[in-house]
Amino acid sequence: MLDPLKRALKSVLETVRRRGSERRIRETGRHVTRAELARDLAALGIAPGDTVFLHSSLKSLGYVEGGAAAVIGALQDALGAQGTLLVPTYYLPAGTVRATCELEGYVFDPRVHGTNMGRLPETFLAGAATHRSVHPTHSVAAWGRHAAWLTEGHHHAPSIFGAGSPWQRFVELDGAKVLGLGISMGPVTFYHVLEDALGEAFPAAIWEQRTYRLPCRDRHGQSWDVPVRPFTAAATANRIDHPGRGDLRDYFQREFELAGLKTNGAVGAAQAWVIPGRAFFDHLERLAGQGITIYSSPEQLAARPPGRS
Ligand SMILES: CC(C)(COP(=O)(O)OP(=O)(O)OC[C@H]1O[C@@H](n2cnc3c(N)ncnc32)[C@H](O)[C@@H]1OP(=O)(O)O)[C@@H](O)C(=O)NCCC(=O)NCCS
């Protein structure tokens, strides 16, 4: 079959699948509105003027009247005119960072490429986002007061999460908060900020030897080579977001709750949580000093129970 035909068929099948999946949620889920979500976000601690880095599961919220756009609207309502919203709009055309680095002919272009991070990031990119960072694997989209500054330096950063990246800038802001809507402590990018800040002093060997330089274009069409150093296969296989590491997810949840840094609440039908950015970073650094990271073995976790000072 010809490639364009294959692509068209795939797209039709995906549309049909999505309609069926949405209908099921509409018929069986609790219905929630933008106004209700905005109230819940405020009750969770999202305040006007905050800068929020969001990780989300749309279907965990119940059936949202107006879909993903209504969730984004609710976040904008809670953040107000002075607030900022950051959304992971990462694009990994080969599935992983490592495989994307090896992908023949790949040139990232923020004007062309979408995201594989879920419905909310997809919708954000198509509508509310005003800025998007230039990065071949970890492009971030943003709206609001700090959107331009947070995203503009990414392709000049020495590493994905390093100095000048959206995360390193985010952590400097008062009112920076990491927000999880219907997700565990697993798929949270913020952990990597400490790794890139500590570099070789990070207490686990997590990077491959080689740093790739991947071509990108910015929104003016100018070309840039952006450094990407993949994680080793062993590191990703033992990390907190790996399906087999529920022990790490439980550990970090308990640890951050006992430290008084993780606020839990309900947003629509979802379990949600929020952790202030600066305190998140400082606590990760403290834990790393005690040998605990998002790659720790069950034995390392057992040797330092959650909440130990
Ligand atoms: C993987 C992940 C996105 C899956 O969550 P999800 O809720 O199943 O998927 P999405 O958020 O993309 O939402 C799509 C689902 O919303 C549902 N949906 C559609 N319309 C809806 C509506 N109006 N209201 C509620 N749900 C709706 C559909 O069931 C759809 O499922 P489908 O993809 O099977 O069609 C989520 O678990 C996750 O990990 N999120 C974090 C991602 C991230 O930030 N990663 C970066 C750090 S590593």
Side-chain angles (χ1 to χ4, degrees):
M1 208 187 296
L2 291 170
D3 262 1
L5 196 56
K6 250 190 192 169
R7 268 202 301 277
L9 182 62
K10 222 175 132 189
S11 151
V12 170
L13 289 174
E14 175 61 11
T15 306
V16 172
R17 191 195 65 74
R18 283 188 174 199
R19 283 206 187 122
S21 153
E22 183 180 345
R23 193 181 54 244
R24 270 191 302 282
I25 298 218
R26 191 169 58 238
E27 286 168 1
T28 58
R30 181 183 134 199
H31 284 224
V32 293
T33 63
R34 169 172 170 166
E36 197 178 338
L37 292 173
R39 271 197 305 276
D40 288 350
L41 287 162
L44 183 66
I46 303 303
D50 280 352
T51 297
V52 161
F53 199 108
L54 174 71
H55 295 288
S56 62
S57 153
L58 177 60
K59 72 168 165 247
S60 70
L61 294 162
Y63 180 72
V64 182
E65 310 276 0
V71 184
I72 293 161
L75 282 154
Q76 291 172 316
D77 294 343
L79 291 167
Q82 295 302 307
T84 309
L85 179 60
L86 281 165
V87 174
T89 50
Y90 316 153
Y91 183 61
L92 294 160
T96 64
V97 174
R98 176 75 169 71
T100 299
C101 286
E102 295 284 353
L103 195 61
E104 198 73 36
Y106 171 53
V107 181
F108 175 77
D109 187 332
R111 301 164 301 180
V112 172
H113 291 118
T115 174
N116 324 106
M117 292 300 118
R119 196 67 59 83
L120 218 133
E122 256 176 43
T123 306
F124 186 63
L125 208 49
T130 55
H131 293 77
R132 189 181 191 192
S133 74
V134 175
H135 197 281
T137 57
H138 285 75
S139 172
V140 171
W143 162 89
R145 178 159 59 127
H146 300 297
W149 177 72
L150 285 164
T151 52
E152 73 194 359
H154 206 178
H155 51 300
H156 302 301
S159 60
I160 304 175
F161 315 103
S165 72
W167 298 272
Q168 293 279 354
R169 291 184 172 190
F170 168 79
V171 84
E172 289 174 26
L173 292 171
D174 289 338
K177 291 171 181 168
V178 181
L179 170 66
L181 291 183
I183 61 144
S184 68
M185 292 278 291
V188 177
T189 314
F190 190 77
Y191 299 123
H192 301 305
V193 185
L194 178 72
E195 297 161 8
D196 284 16
L198 294 187
E200 299 304 325
F202 187 71
I206 55 171
W207 296 290
E208 288 190 7
Q209 282 305 315
R210 175 170 174 196
T211 298
Y212 293 76
R213 298 194 73 85
L214 299 194
C216 295
R217 269 191 275 280
D218 64 19
R219 66 196 163 88
H220 308 294
Q222 187 171 348
S223 298
W224 303 92
D225 280 345
V226 178
V228 178
R229 189 176 180 190
F231 295 102
T232 64
T236 49
N238 289 306
R239 202 168 60 189
I240 193 165
D241 57 334
H242 189 276
R245 294 309 309 273
D247 60 335
L248 267 172
R249 293 190 284 280
D250 291 347
Y251 183 98
F252 272 72
Q253 171 167 319
R254 190 89 190 103
E255 174 63 33
F256 277 83
E257 283 169 0
L258 289 171
L261 298 175
K262 181 170 183 270
T263 305
N264 300 312
V267 173
Q271 291 189 339
W273 55 264
V274 65
I275 301 177
R278 184 77 240 173
F280 200 162
F281 182 90
D282 291 344
H283 201 65
L284 288 173
E285 192 169 28
R286 204 167 302 128
L287 288 173
Q290 297 174 25
I292 298 293
T293 70
I294 59 164
Y295 309 87
S296 287
S297 66
E299 294 72 29
Q300 288 172 312
L301 299 182
R304 192 236 176 242
R308 214 179 69 178
S309 54

